[in-house]
Amino acid sequence: MLLWLLGPGLAGRTAEWRAEFATLAALKLAPGPRRRGGPGQGVRTVLALLRHTGVTPPEHDPLVVAWAACTPDAAGLRADPLLDHLVPRMFDAEGVGALLRDERADPPRPRSWLAALHELAGDGRIGRDLLLDGCLRRFLRGGQPADLRFFVRLHELLQPTDDEVSRRRRAYLGLLPAAPGAVAEPVLRHVRRLGDLEAGDVTEAVRALLLRPERKLQTAGVTWLDEAAAGDPAAGLDALAPALGCAFGSESTDVQGRAVRVAVKHAKRFTAEGARAIREAMAVLPQELAETLAAVFGPDAADGPGDLDGFTPVSLPAPVEAGAFPAPVRAAYELGPCPRDDWQGAERWLAGVVHLYGHAREALTTRLTEHRPPPPGPWLDIGHWAQAIARLVTGTVVPSAADGSSPVGDERLPGLGDVPGPHLFLLRRWAEVHDALAAGTLPPYLLAEPTEGSGLLDPEMLVERLSGYERAGVEALPADLQQALLRLPRDIPPHAAAQAARLTSEAGRVAARWMNGERPEPIAELIWSCRVLGGPDTATPVPGTNVLPPAPPAPGVHVLPPGSPVGGDAGHSGGGGFPAGDGGERSGEAAAGESGPWQEGWACCAADAGPVLDRAHELSARLRPAGPTGLEFVDGLFSGSVAHRLRDHGGYLGWWPHLMPSDREAVAAHCVPHLMERWRRVRMETAQAQALAAAGGPPGEALALVVAYLVADRARGTAEERARPVVELAARGELDAERVGRRLALLIQRTELKPGPAFETLEAAAAFGAQREVWRIVTAFLPGFLPAPGERSHTRHTQGLVFALRAARWAGARGAVPCVAEIAQRKASNNFVREARRLHTYLT
């Protein structure tokens, strides 16, 4: 019946063709609405085709969301062929949580996903382990609390047993430090039921709870600490002293009082080291609570310059050396499969194939006999291009969707703006090798194969390779030539530049100009964006409609025409978009009306002077070059918005510093959109920041933002791991500490990042030898972090001053900090002012 409805064109096809058609149709599904509502006819047809053909549904988030948008019932799902394929993907697909966020669980409606999954798990049609593991996996990925609501309700509806929780204890414990409160609270209830937790697990859980900002969870941590201490009187409590000190800094006086009572109750369980940590944390307590602690633990530590609270100054380590690039492939037996997760291995594979094709073609053909046909559609993975290249080498024709001929690379490349710029540039190099093979114009070797492990290319080697091209009458491949230029170091030896000037080919003249001072210098401009809502209380709908006009702009906010892209081409200066702001940033507000009494839009913040936006939801960047080079791919990487339509970075973000090893500011700008992502595959990690620190080129706004973000984000690894980029830049004498400090203050104002993890990272950096640089970061951080006159101070501001005093002592700093001096002169006598006076007194 389905085939008859779709027409004789489909009914007459083979089963294999229909299966491939169903897969392609599923991959064409676009992201759907974030609200419930039955899918359209096209979506229902795609789902019906998948069920009819029995093909395994492709990995595609919009497909999962479209399936989840259908109103479910247990009986229908039990017989659905898609159930076993798509239920596991519901926990990973972007958009499912937002779609199902409003489903109720008390009790669930009969025709709802919560009811259906609960019933199918009860009768064994779906495994409980699959659902519980999926919920935990989704919690660990993080995200907006509202988008996790459905998975929390499903998890609680399943009522995991003690045995099920015990088997997953590491995952549950891992959620306590940073999961949203709506996730952490039920997780804590389940963990607390376990009677077989080891002492180390209890310590880890209590520390996580005491370091959280929520009063309810802090209270639970203090209570658990008290119970654990009472249950094992012989155990020491030093490991919990720093976390207990964080509870002293709670904004809740109830939590502070509980923490003080527990500290006093178990005072004898702390050694001298633990007691010292308790005393250091006293300063943030109200006077009466601090006096209670002082009566038991003694007065606070002395303020003398020799008191470094156990800190031992060391020298900065030597900069990391990249080493030489692995030896090139010169024999067919050295050529293995093309690796996807190793940029050096992929470079060697591509260069090796090109070399062997010209020097040992028969041996290369024999070596490349095992390969698979690339998939239909754009090839976003270098593995697809490697397969296509191998098929050309061995004489296998890859049919084109258009006319059945061998495909041209441009047909398989994604469009401009579909993927990140560095990713597209990487694919273009492989595409042009593929096309040169097909056209019979492949050069005898590539120009851009690196000579150093960082991705750099020796200038004399490039001149030698270009000279060989000229002698053989070979024309350089455009992307390969431009990749070679991007891999040249900043400092070109005069004799290499002179040799390049003697080259006669067009490629040689381009290289000579580059080596003799015409290298471009891109400048990054940052954009902070957040969604804003206007409502009935703030504006009157446009007459005859229910759409609200945009509110009057705040100072420093620019109004864009409706529909203008945030961070897109409209953001270029003079293009009707963002006007120039301070600190290399842009500002603007774009209003996009939607039906209903509320209107959602975008506000984009600019200057360092103050947080025009209370909360940033996206970070973006734009590159502005000193001038066009005439090199298409270089100009594409060094200019314009870095925005793209691909949800992630394609998995190649770790390769980007090695594509442009002398232009880390441009690489950092392309990384900026991936900073705020919480999903591990798409977010920026410390390894990439470390590679940026070890790269070349002047640092700017984008690099400072990347470093500052990783300093403050505890999810990126340990404090020591997050400190490595700071230490590496300091060791090279290239850390723009003041700029990093200012970015750090803005991040804490405008995002969900907290100062505590930042202080942990900076302390680790100081322990590695960067104590002077840490103090420079702190002095630039304080003006943007501390409240201005007339603004209310919070506990976190007092904690910032306490840390600043420690950092000043580590660095042996002297000289007043204006914003601290102003606070120290106030007549108030609260903890905040007292800490400012202590710091000011030490500095002066």
Side-chain angles (χ1 to χ4, degrees), residues 304-371:
D307 180 15
L308 299 181
D309 54 33
F311 179 82
T312 303
V314 298
S315 300
L316 280 166
V320 176
E321 297 293 338
F325 192 76
V329 174
R330 289 296 178 261
Y333 71 84
E334 299 175 358
L335 193 70
C338 179
R340 188 194 182 283
D341 55 355
D342 175 13
W343 77 270
Q344 292 185 347
E347 284 283 351
R348 293 180 72 244
W349 191 92
L350 186 64
V353 167
V354 172
H355 174 84
L356 293 172
Y357 188 79
H359 296 84
R361 188 173 306 178
E362 184 176 349
L364 175 64
T365 302
T366 303
R367 187 67 175 173
L368 296 180
T369 52
E370 296 184 7
H371 49 74

Side-chain angles (χ1 to χ4, degrees), residues 541-690:
V542 176
T545 75
N546 61 352
V547 177
L548 294 169
V557 177
H558 181 68
V559 177
L560 290 177
S564 298
V566 176
D569 289 340
H572 203 292
S573 179
F578 306 128
D582 296 340
E585 298 179 71
R586 300 273 181 178
S587 68
E589 180 172 340
E594 63 177 30
S595 62
W598 293 92
Q599 178 187 41
E600 183 176 17
W602 283 95
C604 298
C605 185
D608 292 352
V612 177
L613 308 180
D614 290 333
R615 187 69 63 203
H617 292 94
E618 285 189 10
L619 283 168
S620 187
R622 185 176 183 83
L623 285 163
R624 177 166 50 85
T629 65
L631 302 173
E632 176 187 359
F633 306 137
V634 171
D635 288 339
L637 289 170
F638 283 4
S639 62
S641 170
V642 300
H644 54 84
R645 287 181 284 274
L646 188 65
R647 174 60 184 163
D648 59 25
H649 49 65
Y652 294 109
L653 190 148
W655 298 28
W656 298 356
H658 311 291
L659 300 181
M660 297 178 278
S662 294
D663 295 282
R664 56 184 165 198
E665 178 68 1
V667 178
H670 285 282
C671 294
V672 164
H674 305 288
L675 287 175
M676 296 186 72
E677 294 290 349
R678 310 309 295 175
W679 185 23
R680 184 173 296 276
R681 171 174 163 79
V682 304
R683 72 185 187 186
M684 178 82 178
E685 297 289 349
T686 53
Q688 287 91 49
Q690 180 74 355

